[in-house]
Amino acid sequence: MTDLCAEDLATLYAKPTPRVIAKARPAIDAHAKKFIEMSPFCVLATSGLDGSVDASPRGGGIGFVHVAGSNQLLMPDRAGNNRIDSFRNVVEGSGFVHLLFFVPGIDETLRVGGRGTLSADPDILATMVEFGKPPRAVLSVAVSEVYFHCGKALMRSKLWSPEKVQRSVMPSISEVIHDQTNLGEPESQEIVEERYKTQL
């Protein structure tokens, strides 16, 4: 297999249309704000000083990411695995972040990019209590680019199709990690889900 170079790309792909270029906006408009306020899930991408990239799922109640202004988003951080790869990249790496927002039932997605900073200001944390708990920290994004992606990828994947994979076709994450590392005790999916409920 031969790797493609930059010149090859120009022969494979047409130039984007003016409309595709123009849809990238410098701020959050009314449409983007509405989409973010309907979204219970997004993917956070960050980059480290060494060029590494991290992509992390983030979720909460509908509208868990707060639109604090046309160029500012506030994302509360909930309990996770404590690797904090994303946050290390924010404070030690490039500081650039991108968010990809999903709304169940809508095939289009929304991409938001900018620079991130972290805060543990108690006054800010107190405004973002969810599941009975304040977040541990808040990611503030100084937004510089916003644009909607067409729905082709989600349509191809049938992501919102009512036909779902039964969870039982895969072992629990606890069983998977035990098989991979031989650490901890392998727990059933039922036990894992019950434990998750206390850690949201």
Side-chain angles (χ1 to χ4, degrees):
M1 185 173 73
T2 304
D3 293 341
L4 296 176
C5 64
E7 290 76 14
D8 296 324
L9 297 179
T11 66
L12 292 173
Y13 297 93
K15 289 184 178 180
T17 66
R19 186 179 184 186
V20 168
I21 299 298
K23 74 176 183 176
R25 312 307 299 164
I28 300 166
D29 67 2
H31 300 294
K33 182 175 185 289
K34 182 175 182 179
F35 197 91
I36 293 166
E37 290 173 345
M38 293 190 299
S39 175
F41 176 80
C42 66
V43 176
L44 168 66
T46 59
S47 59
L49 279 178
D50 60 356
S52 62
V53 176
D54 180 73
S56 175
R58 303 292 166 131
I62 292 171
F64 77 103
V65 175
H66 299 244
V67 179
S70 60
N71 289 97
Q72 187 183 25
L73 292 180
L74 298 175
M75 174 190 287
D77 184 51
R78 305 296 174 189
N81 59 18
N82 293 323
R83 282 184 53 116
I84 57 174
D85 297 310
S86 299
F87 285 174
R88 287 192 192 283
N89 286 345
V90 169
V91 299
E92 298 174 356
S94 72
F96 289 113
V97 303
H98 264 87
L99 297 162
L100 186 62
F101 288 93
F102 295 77
V103 174
I106 297 179
D107 287 328
E108 288 75 25
T109 52
L110 179 70
R111 180 169 168 171
V112 179
R115 277 193 172 272
T117 55
L118 293 176
S119 174
D121 184 321
D123 291 337
I124 296 175
L125 301 185
T127 67
M128 297 187 178
V129 173
E130 191 174 16
F131 310 109
K133 304 172 186 175
R136 296 175 296 176
V138 171
L139 171 66
S140 175
V141 180
V143 174
S144 57
E145 185 179 50
V146 182
Y147 64 91
F148 282 94
H149 279 287
C150 74
K152 293 175 185 174
L154 271 67
M155 290 174 71
R156 291 184 191 115
S157 67
K158 299 180 180 177
L159 187 62
W160 308 132
S161 168
E163 298 176 8
K164 296 180 181 177
V165 173
Q166 295 298 311
R167 183 61 184 85
S168 58
V169 304
M170 278 286 291
S172 73
I173 189 171
S174 174
E175 292 165 334
V176 169
I177 294 173
H178 181 266
D179 288 346
Q180 293 172 336
T181 67
N182 204 32
L183 295 173
E185 295 298 323
E187 298 172 320
S188 69
Q189 183 63 23
E190 291 75 21
I191 292 174
V192 171
E193 288 181 3
E194 283 303 312
R195 181 160 42 80
Y196 280 171
K197 291 176 184 177
T198 67
Q199 298 174 344
L200 291 176

